[in-house]
Amino acid sequence: MSIFSDLPSLLALHVSHFSLKQALALQTHFGSLEQALQASQAELTNTQLLKPAQLKKLFDQNRHQQVDQAMTWGEQAEQNWLPFGSEHYPKLLQSIDDAPLLLGTRGRVELLQDPQLAIVGSRHASKQGLMIAKDFAQHLSHQGLGITSGLALGIDTAAHQGGLLGIGKTIAVVATGLDRIYPASNQALGRQIVEEGVMVSEFPLGTKPLTYHFPKRNRIISGLSVGTLVVEAALKSGSLITAKTAMNQGREVFAVPGSIHNPQAKGCHQLIKQGAKLVESGQDILEELSSQLQNALMPRSPPQTQDLFATETHEKLTGKNLSLSHPILEYIGYEAIGMDELVVLSKCPVYDIQSQLMLLELSGHVEKLSAGRWRRLN
Amino acid sequence: MSIFSDLPSLLALHVSHFSLKQALALQTHFGSLEQALQASQAELTNTQLLKPAQLKKLFDQNRHQQVDQAMTWGEQAEQNWLPFGSEHYPKLLQSIDDAPLLLGTRGRVELLQDPQLAIVGSRHASKQGLMIAKDFAQHLSHQGLGITSGLALGIDTAAHQGGLLGIGKTIAVVATGLDRIYPASNQALGRQIVEEGVMVSEFPLGTKPLTYHFPKRNRIISGLSVGTLVVEAALKSGSLITAKTAMNQGREVFAVPGSIHNPQAKGCHQLIKQGAKLVESGQDILEELSSQLQNALMPRSPPQTQDLFATETHEKLTGKNLSLSHPILEYIGYEAIGMDELVVLSKCPVYDIQSQLMLLELSGHVEKLSAGRWRRLN
């Protein structure tokens, strides 16, 4: 039941900035991605699925070289390409509407399997704000939560630093290719995250920091995380975009209050007015998330990357480890069934069911009906 | 349809600390308060309506002297006794569960007819907290809202000071008799409030500041007000009692956030977690209250105490100005009717209907059924 079985074909789409939906449509149209990539320019144009720039890129000789480079990059230790729907692709991220087609990772990819909390905020934070971000991150990381942020200066940096101090470590979601670290002043922190945590990007190697990539990147920060905490944010800031995205993804949003005379607290106050939870400590967050985290935060045994990823290392992304399990399918019959019933029957968490349903829908096994109900197709 | 028509009898109960419910029960039992007060000690004991201390007080010779003093006090300019149910008794206060039997006022009693906002908080506030309380009070008073507080040091004082700067002025609800001002360090402020605002108490003249009177007093602060704003409060503080009382009275509660490292912000944060609205400015409060305040906040013409209270001054609390109007009664038939329908039919605000219903119920015109429905009795 794997969706994408050929990594070079996927990388060809990846370097041409294809979305998941475009890839699925191409696959459906041509039978497989390999066949799609053998189609003529005219055939591809006729599908009306591609933007002109993407078409141009696909037929650019440079493309093959980029795919080769990406293949080689992904064969190095601690560097991976995770296709949507594959075993190690993070389940929470898989359940969002516009999940990335392919996720590159540098560092301890197994950290992506642990529950994460996003901590974001202003690049121009106060000293107190930085201290608060680091304290929250350290406390929650000690409890086993991975701390996810965007490697920006200010709150992001403090959050990563705090996360590195606990067992949950930290996940940096960047808007550049994984072969560079931005901003330059975070070189040392970036290298430490690659060493002890994990760095993640949906952008091809070589991608420079481009303004319009940052808001797009933010959906991954919130999408990876059970919740997003905003520590100091001005009105109309990028952190509020991440928080909005988290709300749209049905995730919890937390905000730290501050003085009404601090402009960097105004974004947090706006969020609280809109329904975000006011939090004063990491404990507040753990209590709010307790039902979702259930037993996920049991102290982890020391990471055993070698064992966990021995197979992966040898068989990097063959069809074998792209196979999927969908226990939820057995509960879906030809009569429509709703989310509530699926939760009761399967005893799976909602996000896991959502993630499975999306895959089942994309792979044509189930059909989504109105009012959030599904039925089996084959 | 007046409930209590004889002020000396009411004052006899007042100086003996009778509650509204006790007074009504006595009136029902004996036919009138005058007759109740002519009953023998044995007869009164048999009713089981009085506490031993109250019985003792009623038959204490000193009582008559106290009533005479209170009568004389109430005949002075700008000093009034407002019996529950009388024309000038504040309507919002009348709608709470345990409204005071009798309210003494010193100063501009007409201010009690305007919408009020309670501003309360810590006696040990920070300088910033004091500034915030004063700013909010001044802004809202400029918009015509009376600022109600407890004359304590700290936030209360700042709120009164800010309120005095606007046209809405300020209302001090005290836990002592109105012949004294507590705390002593607020003598000058208290005198200014009596001059420009109004001071209110349910306690008999001569009552000293007693610890257990303060929480009881707090229900009047919130009960007079359309909402209560808490500016800086520690956990387990008196301000949180006022906020809790406001919530129980169905009034809005607002809280100003602060740094999570400020112990005086913790009470506010707890309130926000429990559903209080986070506010950053007076404007936030006006927006939240806009539907309740409707046109009540039109700029007022300069106070014309002489005109407004000319009748009152001459006829101080005769049966005449105790008469009540209950337009709501015409919508209540022998079939049960609910609050929603009464709001639609009468086009009156909820608190006004509640207030009228309580009076109609107490005077035996309507009966309260389960599930918040009422029907007519006669």
Side-chain angles (χ1 to χ4, degrees), chain A residues 128 131-132 135-136 256-261 265-270 272-273 278-281 284, chain B residues 128 131-132 135-136 256-261 265-270 272-273 278-281 284:
Chain A
Q128 199 185 38
M131 196 172 67
I132 289 171
D135 284 352
F136 270 78
V256 178
S259 162
I260 60 172
H261 294 134
K266 288 199 184 301
C268 293
H269 294 159
Q270 189 183 61
I272 295 168
K273 287 175 183 173
L278 179 154
V279 289
E280 298 174 279
S281 66
D284 281 350
Chain B
Q128 199 186 38
M131 198 171 67
I132 290 171
D135 284 352
F136 270 79
V256 178
S259 161
I260 58 172
H261 294 134
K266 287 198 184 303
C268 293
H269 294 160
Q270 188 183 62
I272 295 168
K273 288 176 183 173
L278 180 154
V279 290
E280 297 173 281
S281 66
D284 281 350

Side-chain angles (χ1 to χ4, degrees), chain B residues 29-340:
Chain B
H29 191 272
F30 290 99
S32 74
L33 293 186
E34 292 92 320
Q35 285 173 291
L37 290 167
Q38 281 158 17
S40 70
Q41 194 155 354
E43 282 174 310
L44 283 168
T45 307
N46 286 340
T47 63
Q48 298 189 323
L49 295 170
L50 287 69
K51 293 179 196 161
Q54 292 177 316
L55 200 63
K56 192 175 163 215
K57 181 76 185 173
L58 273 187
F59 286 88
D60 182 346
Q61 283 310 313
N62 195 21
R63 186 260 285 180
H64 296 284
Q65 194 191 334
Q66 266 190 281
V67 170
D68 290 345
Q69 282 172 350
M71 283 297 289
T72 308
W73 184 90
E75 281 156 11
Q76 311 303 308
E78 308 297 350
Q79 296 182 178
N80 284 287
W81 296 115
L82 308 181
F84 176 90
S86 68
E87 194 182 350
H88 297 296
Y89 191 97
K91 290 291 170 288
L92 268 182
L93 185 63
Q94 199 160 280
S95 72
I96 71 170
D97 249 356
D98 48 354
L101 174 61
L102 190 68
L103 213 55
T105 67
R106 270 183 85 181
R108 292 176 51 200
V109 65
E110 77 277 12
L111 289 174
L112 295 175
Q113 303 302 315
D114 292 338
Q116 298 163 45
L117 183 86
I119 300 184
V120 298
S122 177
R123 277 175 292 148
H124 313 291
S126 69
K127 275 187 186 169
Q128 199 186 38
L130 296 176
M131 198 171 67
I132 290 171
K134 191 172 175 184
D135 284 352
F136 270 79
Q138 181 172 358
H139 176 82
L140 294 167
S141 174
H142 269 309
Q143 302 297 318
L145 270 177
I147 304 301
T148 306
S149 196
L151 200 60
L153 298 179
I155 297 295
D156 284 19
T157 295
H160 288 305
Q161 287 167 338
L164 286 167
L165 298 173
I167 56 165
K169 297 301 174 188
T170 198
I171 296 94
V173 184
V174 300
T176 62
L178 285 174
D179 50 349
R180 56 175 71 203
I181 289 172
Y182 176 87
S185 49
N186 264 346
Q187 281 291 335
L189 176 63
R191 278 195 299 271
Q192 194 185 352
I193 291 173
V194 167
E195 196 72 28
E196 301 174 32
V198 63
M199 196 176 287
V200 168
S201 175
E202 70 168 327
F203 297 102
L205 298 173
T207 305
K208 294 175 189 166
L210 299 169
T211 320
Y212 63 93
H213 280 168
F214 287 85
K216 193 160 152 30
R217 178 273 314 263
N218 292 350
R219 83 188 195 290
I220 304 181
I221 295 180
S222 59
L224 281 167
S225 309
V226 287
T228 293
L229 168 66
V230 183
V231 183
E232 286 201 348
L235 293 172
K236 298 183 186 171
S237 60
S239 309
L240 297 196
I241 298 178
T242 311
K244 182 87 185 289
T245 313
M247 285 182 189
N248 291 342
Q249 290 166 347
R251 309 291 164 83
E252 295 285 349
V253 177
F254 306 101
V256 178
S259 161
I260 58 172
H261 294 134
N262 175 7
Q264 295 295 337
K266 287 198 184 303
C268 293
H269 294 160
Q270 188 183 62
L271 287 174
I272 295 168
K273 288 176 183 173
Q274 291 169 347
K277 300 232 159 60
L278 180 154
V279 290
E280 297 173 281
S281 66
Q283 200 50 40
D284 281 350
I285 293 178
L286 290 175
E287 280 168 21
E288 283 293 337
L289 294 177
S290 61
S291 64
Q292 288 171 67
L293 297 175
Q294 292 168 352
N295 298 322
L297 292 188
M298 297 296 286
R300 293 191 307 130
S301 48
Q304 305 196 334
T305 319
Q306 290 310 319
D307 292 354
L308 257 172
F309 284 78
T311 323
E312 177 91 354
T313 311
H314 291 293
E315 304 186 16
K316 284 222 172 239
L317 301 171
T318 61
K320 199 169 163 191
N321 57 18
L322 282 169
S323 72
L324 301 165
S325 75
H326 294 121
I328 205 77
L329 189 55
E330 68 175 286
Y331 303 107
I332 306 178
Y334 300 99
E335 302 258 327
I337 188 167
M339 177 59 80
D340 290 351

Side-chain angles (χ1 to χ4, degrees), chain A residues 23 39 53 68 92 102 141 143 156-157 172 183 205 226 230 235 271 276 283 290 295 305-306 309 313 376:
Chain A
D68 291 345
L92 268 181
L102 189 67
S141 174
Q143 303 296 318
D156 285 20
T157 295
L205 298 174
V226 287
V230 183
L235 292 173
L271 288 173
Q283 198 52 39
S290 60
N295 298 323
T305 319
Q306 290 310 319
F309 283 78
T313 311
R376 195 160 188 155

